[in-house]
Every structure is written in structure tokens, then in C-alpha cells.
Amino acid sequence: MKYGVIGTGAIGGYYGARLAQSGQELHFLLRSDYEYVRQHGLQIDSCDGSFHLDAPHVYNSTDDMPQCDVVLVCLKSINNYKLRDMLPPLLGPKTLVILIQNGIGVEQDVQQMFPDVQLVAGLAFICSAKTEPGHVNHQCYGQINLGNYSCRDEALLQQVVDDFNAAGVKAGLVEYHEARWKKAVWNMPFNGMTVALKTQTNLLLQHPATRQLIYEQMMEVIGAAQHLGVNNIDESFAQKMLEMTDAMTPYSPSMRLDYDFHRRMEIHYLYTRPIEIAREAGFDMPKLAMLEAELKFLDVD
């Protein structure tokens, strides 16, 4: 199959490179480091084994890219409006689009742009960063779960899962709503709190006061999910996320990196949208609503 990657950053660069290393045909869209990667290739420094792609297929416009069987959209969600122009050149009649993005509601909005496109949510559990041209630093974890939003071709979706696993990336199929809200249990507390307190994940959990606050924020997300009818999510999942983060390498999540590099933060889908959805269903998340307000104050104009 032909895979396309829109957004060759910490996530798209890592997953796309793993697929390419395993023998899949990958086509990468790049922005600022297009010339660098075209000349020097793509370097992946990984806890699971480092490697280099000497001559990846790279482009600075989707107009020059071929139609693909699968497109991995790894843009920051604040840039999703660009998909109206960027995505069509890659689409064939059966193309599967996987949105490997943070937040709640991204699939609904992209589906409105492209009513007939098959969409899947990609939930990445990974610590990865790209802080210099053509160089991805994968620190730990790496699993990706796929939640079916509107894919009609189950065989194609299963093939993607098989391709990821064959590339050394643990992948599986999960229920869409459960997957999105479970990811939010980690994302909503840690992304915003590392920005608001200018710290890293490990320090938040080492201090008793902030550890308790993180737990309470997680329980707000779990309460919202339960109120919305999401299954298989309860207090034990919050404890699991805390223990997983305790074992993690000290980490600055994507929102903290965006803040540090003076980029717009993904507040809408990570905070505003899920808070609104929960409130419309009769459930409030006051601690996370306060964090949302703090992030909007800190966001760049």
C-alpha cells in the first residue's frame, strides 16, 4: 500500500519512518525542514533502536504527492482548516484517513469537510519530540490504537494494524469513543499543567499537591465520559495512567513544547470542545475549565 504522511513531526515522522523502514511505501509532506530532509534524510533516535532513512520520498506540497491508500494526518489540530486544500490530492475513491491528533471532536469536523472520506482516529501513546530539522527523538512507549469513526473497509483497516505491528509498532483496534476519552484522561491534565506550571510530567507527580490535582482532573474526564455513556473507564484507569507516567522518562508534552517555541496551543480540541460536550450533557469539569482559562491567557496571539 501507499502511505502518505501530512505533518512529518514528532509523531508523523516516527510512525511514518517505522513503516518505511519495514518496507512500506511512504510519502512525507514537510514544511520548514523539507530541503534538509531531501538532502540529508530522516534520523530517528529511538529507545527501541535508532535508524536513518537515507532517501525518503519527501514533498513540500501535496499537489506533488501521489494518491495514497492510507493518509496519516499528524498536523496540529489548530491547522486542520488547511486540510481543505492539502488532503484532496492524496485522496482516491477508497483512501483511509487516520487522524493522529489530540482532542475530542476532530473527526466530526473533518468529516463535515469531506463527507465521503473514511476516517479513523489514531491514538498515539508515545513520548516523542522533534526539536531540530530531520531529527525525531523517540524517548519511550510508542503504541498506537485505531478507533473506527467512519471506515467502511474493515479489511483495509485491519491491514493498517497488521502493517504497524510488522513495523515493530504495537497497534490494535479499539472502540472510537472509549479510545478518545481514555486518551483525554492523560492529555487534559498533563498537557495543560506542564504549561501552566512550566514543568515536566515527573515533577507534577512527585509533589503531593499537584499529584492530587492531576488525579482530580483525571476523575473529571472519567466522570464526563461515564456521563456520556462511554464504557470501560473508571477510577482504576486514572490509577493506571498515574503509574504509567511515574515510570515514564521525564517528559514535556506537545502543548508544553508548543508553548516553549511560541506556537499556538491546541486548546480547542483538547479543552474547549470536550468541556462543552460534557456540559451540554449535564456534566461540568470545573478544574479543567479553570485550566482552560489559564491556557487561553498564556496562548500566543
Side-chain angles (χ1 to χ4, degrees), residues 5 25 42 80 98 106 111 122 133 138 144 168 194 198 201 211 213 249 256-257 263 279 281 286:
V5 176
E25 181 179 339
L42 184 62
N80 275 7
I98 301 176
V106 287
Q111 194 78 84
H138 170 225
I144 185 166
T194 55
K198 298 180 176 60
T201 54
R211 187 184 187 94
L213 180 54
T249 303
R256 172 66 196 278
L257 293 178
R263 300 186 294 247
R279 186 174 292 141

Side-chain angles (χ1 to χ4, degrees), residues 190-211:
F190 280 108
N191 270 280
M193 287 288 286
T194 55
V195 172
L197 297 183
K198 298 180 176 60
T199 189
Q200 290 185 303
T201 54
N202 61 313
L203 297 177
L204 286 172
L205 294 187
Q206 287 171 14
H207 195 288
T210 47
R211 187 184 187 94

Side-chain angles (χ1 to χ4, degrees), residues 9-30:
I11 303 300
Y14 176 75
Y15 287 128
R18 282 287 180 199
L19 289 167
Q21 184 196 31
S22 72
Q24 299 295 333
E25 181 179 339
L26 266 292
H27 299 270
F28 296 92
L29 178 71
L30 296 106

Side-chain angles (χ1 to χ4, degrees), residues 1-5 19 24-27 68 70 159-160 163:
M1 294 199 298
K2 288 181 181 175
Y3 283 85
V5 176
L19 289 167
Q24 299 295 333
E25 181 179 339
L26 266 292
H27 299 270
C68 295
V70 181
Q159 184 61 56
V160 174
D163 287 350

Side-chain angles (χ1 to χ4, degrees), residues 151-209:
C151 178
R152 302 173 296 277
D153 190 340
E154 294 184 6
L156 175 59
L157 181 53
Q158 184 60 53
Q159 184 61 56
V160 174
V161 172
D162 293 343
D163 287 350
F164 270 118
N165 282 300
V169 175
K170 185 179 179 182
L173 296 174
V174 293
E175 198 277 325
Y176 167 76
H177 293 287
E178 179 182 336
R180 275 291 179 205
W181 281 96
K182 279 186 171 179
K183 187 73 187 297
V185 171
W186 194 94
N187 268 337
M188 293 184 75
F190 280 108
N191 270 280
M193 287 288 286
T194 55
V195 172
L197 297 183
K198 298 180 176 60
T199 189
Q200 290 185 303
T201 54
N202 61 313
L203 297 177
L204 286 172
L205 294 187
Q206 287 171 14
H207 195 288

Side-chain angles (χ1 to χ4, degrees), residues 6 14 74 79 83 93-94 101 103 106 120 122 127 141 146 151-152 159 198 209-210 220 228 238 246 251 255 261:
I6 295 180
Y14 176 75
C74 306
N79 293 317
L83 292 175
K94 298 181 179 179
Q101 297 181 312
V106 287
V120 166
C127 296
Y141 299 108
L146 302 181
C151 178
R152 302 173 296 277
Q159 184 61 56
K198 298 180 176 60
T210 47
E220 285 190 354
L228 290 160
D246 282 330
Y251 183 58
M255 183 172 279
F261 285 90

Side-chain angles (χ1 to χ4, degrees), residues 60-108:
N60 59 7
S61 171
T62 57
D63 291 333
D64 300 323
M65 296 173 70
Q67 288 187 353
C68 295
D69 300 294
V70 181
V71 178
L72 308 180
V73 174
C74 306
L75 291 175
K76 297 290 184 180
S77 61
I78 59 171
N79 293 317
N80 275 7
Y81 70 93
K82 297 179 180 179
L83 292 175
R84 291 187 185 276
D85 298 320
M86 296 170 70
L87 195 54
L90 279 63
L91 297 178
K94 298 181 179 179
T95 300
L96 175 62
V97 175
I98 301 176
L99 300 176
I100 309 179
Q101 297 181 312
N102 287 325
I104 303 286
V106 287
E107 287 78 21
Q108 180 181 357

